[in-house]
Amino acid sequence: MGSISDHQASVEDRISELPDTILCHVLSFLETVHAVRTTVLSTRWNNLWTKVPNLHFDYYPSFSPKYEDEDADVCRNHFMTFVDRVLFFRDSSKIQNFTLSCFEESDFTRIDGWLCTATRRNVVKLDFGLHNICKYDRRVTFSFPQSLFKCKTLEVLKLSSNCTTYYPPTSGCFPSLKFLHITLHNSHDTSAGQLISCCPLLEGLTIDGHVGTRGDSVDVHFNISASKLKTLTISLSAYPTSPYNVLINAPNLKSINLSHNTVAYYSFENVSSLVNANIVLEACQEKERSTVFANRVIALMGAISNVKHLSLSGECAEGCCHQYFLPEYFLPEELVLQDCCFWDVLPAVLQISHNLQHLVLEDSTEFRSRFPEHQWYPPECVPVCLFRLKTISIRRFQGRHVEMAVAKYLLKNCKVLSKMAIYAGHGITEEKKLHQVFAMFERGSTTCEVEIIEA
């Protein structure tokens, strides 16, 4: 049996022996309050937190009725004092990531000082959230610091606030910013949109949240003009009385993702480099699933008809194939049709998809509950794309009659198809029986393989 000293030697603190750079890297994954608490471990950890490259501060008010107003004030003051002390005692090294989220009424002067300190410490990534809860006057606003607009090291900026205004200087804004994420909160203030036009090196842009409020009529315009922009994501919801217009001028745009933009009007200029598009549009009301909605969809699809990889929601595909507005062609090599309860639009989509080589059909239980499942009517003549189609995937396959009919038609008429992958949904018939059913279907391609995959 070994001695006590032998046992102590076998459990020596190897973590504390690691270099400062590695320990600081480990602490960077913690919220700052927890990183500071590591000082209780030993004297070795006393000053490590002052060198951590990431700072993360979160303050959320307590909504529990057991807290009195003065307790909330004490908690808020404690949080602000903590941030002050961390920034004061931290060493002078660069701040890589700075996350600051404040909910409830706050001291805007101190928040301004914190952000300015991050600027002086050459912050690279800033995630800033500031929200006043309903019991406070939302007309009181916080002005985004001018020093941040001029920050030469800032590359990533994420903003989420219902009480912040953004008024950039006339020149020299965001000289290094590459990625911008703006979250809107039912605000009529459109100053956040001004940020987009003053980022000369912007490569990635995300705009999400909500536009307008119920019963109000607000006309919002987003002018997205960025010569180096490569990826664009817009995921906004809005009331029918709050339409918004989006103008996109991005000659180097490669990928676009538009979702839930129910009342948006899109205009495109100079987007010939676009390769990938994911379009998920939904009509706000049943009456919108008509000429008005179709007009919006067709205007949008006409601008992106040359993309190689296209993903469409069911409602968008239906609007696109409106009998009065059928576009002349699509040129995607890969097409994903989401929420395929709109089976009746599939023939029209195939007829205009001249270059199609890969087809993905996705079913959706949610959409089948919202809309009655449409019938499948085989096209009168075989679409040209079926002579080029190489692979087909049907996801969330349930083995319903309409799904079987579609799969049977495609197997029969695709002349160079190499593979059909069936991703069987929950509760599907046994895989062996499904194989037997598909083995009986006529195939237009002698080299086609059918693969049943349990999802």
Side-chain angles (χ1 to χ4, degrees):
M1 180 179 296
S3 64
I4 295 178
S5 60
D6 292 337
H7 175 70
Q8 290 175 337
S10 66
V11 293
E12 62 178 311
D13 184 4
R14 295 184 179 181
I15 294 179
S16 295
E17 297 300 321
L18 293 172
D20 284 2
T21 54
I22 295 179
L23 292 179
C24 288
H25 179 70
V26 173
L27 292 180
S28 69
F29 293 96
L30 301 177
E31 288 190 25
T32 301
V33 64
H34 300 306
V36 173
R37 287 173 182 171
T38 60
T39 57
V40 303
L41 297 177
S42 69
T43 55
R44 169 75 174 86
W45 295 78
N46 275 352
N47 297 314
L48 282 175
W49 67 269
T50 64
K51 305 174 184 178
V52 175
N54 299 343
L55 295 178
H56 189 132
F57 302 105
D58 275 326
Y59 175 69
Y60 296 92
S62 175
F63 295 99
S64 173
K66 69 180 181 179
Y67 291 99
E68 301 294 336
D69 289 340
E70 60 265 27
D71 292 328
D73 291 338
V74 169
C75 292
R76 184 165 52 251
N77 291 334
H78 177 74
F79 168 78
M80 293 197 163
T81 300
F82 174 74
V83 178
D84 284 339
R85 291 176 63 83
V86 168
L87 293 177
F88 179 79
F89 285 108
R90 190 183 182 279
D91 73 1
S92 59
S93 60
K94 175 187 292 187
I95 296 178
Q96 187 69 29
N97 299 325
F98 188 78
T99 299
L100 176 62
S101 296
C102 298
F103 284 73
E104 205 177 73
E105 188 179 38
S106 304
D107 187 336
F108 287 170
T109 301
R110 293 167 84 175
I111 291 176
D112 182 90
W114 300 339
L115 295 177
C116 290
T117 298
T119 303
R120 291 194 299 272
R121 299 292 176 83
N122 297 319
V123 63
V124 176
K125 180 179 179 181
L126 174 63
D127 186 344
F128 176 61
L130 180 62
H131 299 81
N132 275 346
I133 60 176
C134 296
K135 68 178 181 178
Y136 294 103
D137 189 350
R138 289 176 180 257
R139 290 175 297 179
V140 177
T141 58
F142 172 74
S143 296
F144 199 66
Q146 292 291 297
S147 62
L148 269 170
F149 288 109
K150 298 284 189 176
C151 184
K152 295 181 179 180
T153 56
L154 187 62
E155 296 180 6
V156 181
L157 178 60
K158 185 174 182 180
L159 301 170
S160 176
S161 178
N162 66 354
C163 58
T164 299
T165 55
Y166 310 92
Y167 295 107
T170 55
S171 63
C173 292
F174 297 129
S176 301
L177 193 68
K178 295 182 178 180
F179 301 95
L180 176 63
H181 184 160
I182 303 172
T183 299
L184 304 177
H185 294 270
N186 301 327
S187 175
H188 293 182
D189 175 47
T190 59
S191 65
Q194 298 182 32
L195 298 176
I196 302 169
S197 59
C198 62
C199 305
L201 300 183
L202 193 64
E203 297 180 6
L205 173 63
T206 297
I207 304 174
D208 58 22
H210 195 90
V211 176
T213 56
R214 185 183 298 274
D216 290 338
S217 178
V218 58
D219 195 9
V220 179
H221 296 266
F222 294 101
N223 187 352
I224 301 173
S225 181
S227 62
K228 296 184 180 298
L229 190 66
K230 297 178 181 179
T231 61
L232 172 63
T233 298
I234 301 179
S235 181
L236 288 170
S237 58
Y239 291 105
T241 56
S242 301
Y244 57 97
N245 301 277
V246 182
L247 173 62
I248 300 172
N249 184 348
N252 287 299
L253 189 64
K254 303 295 183 184
S255 180
I256 189 169
N257 188 339
L258 308 178
S259 61
H260 305 290
N261 300 284
T262 53
V263 291
Y265 293 89
Y266 288 94
S267 299
F268 288 84
E269 295 179 3
N270 199 9
V271 290
S272 58
S273 61
L274 196 61
V275 176
N276 304 303
N278 178 34
I279 313 298
V280 183
L281 303 186
E282 299 176 13
C284 287
Q285 302 172 5
E286 183 66 25
K287 65 181 181 180
E288 285 198 350
R289 298 176 63 237
S290 58
T291 304
V292 175
F293 184 65
N295 269 323
R296 296 173 185 169
V297 174
I298 294 301
L300 172 59
M301 299 310 300
I304 63 172
S305 59
N306 291 321
V307 298
K308 290 185 177 181
H309 307 280
L310 177 62
S311 180
L312 293 178
S313 64
E315 282 188 87
C316 186
E318 184 184 49
C320 179
C321 294
H322 193 284
Q323 59 178 330
Y324 300 113
F325 299 96
L326 189 67
E328 293 182 4
Y329 61 86
F330 283 151
L331 296 177
E333 296 177 3
E334 180 183 29
L335 176 64
V336 178
L337 287 180
Q338 309 169 27
D339 319 315
C340 274
C341 63
F342 299 95
W343 294 105
D344 56 335
V345 305
L346 180 57
V349 172
L350 293 177
Q351 290 285 6
I352 60 178
S353 301
H354 297 174
N355 290 348
L356 194 60
Q357 297 181 34
H358 307 282
L359 175 64
V360 179
L361 304 175
E362 292 185 347
D363 195 7
S364 172
T365 304
E366 176 189 352
F367 270 73
R368 287 205 309 273
S369 63
R370 289 178 54 193
F371 305 106
E373 186 168 69
H374 296 198
Q375 296 300 310
W376 157 257
Y377 301 101
E380 295 180 2
C381 58
V382 178
V384 174
C385 69
L386 297 192
F387 293 88
R388 299 178 179 177
L389 203 57
K390 297 178 180 179
T391 66
I392 297 174
S393 296
I394 304 179
R395 299 173 181 171
R396 302 188 184 95
F397 187 86
Q398 295 293 328
R400 299 189 309 281
H401 175 76
V402 64
E403 293 174 306
M404 287 292 191
V406 171
K408 183 177 181 179
Y409 174 85
L410 293 174
L411 275 177
K412 178 181 178 180
N413 291 282
C414 291
K415 303 305 180 182
V416 295
L417 192 66
S418 61
K419 182 179 180 180
M420 176 180 282
I422 306 296
Y423 294 84
H426 179 69
I428 192 63
T429 311
E430 292 181 14
E431 181 180 328
K432 183 177 180 181
K433 292 182 179 179
L434 204 56
H435 267 295
Q436 293 173 349
V437 172
F438 275 86
M440 298 174 63
F441 291 162
E442 182 181 350
R443 302 187 187 188
S445 170
T446 57
T447 60
C448 178
E449 296 182 357
V450 177
E451 183 178 5
I452 310 297
I453 303 169
E454 185 176 353

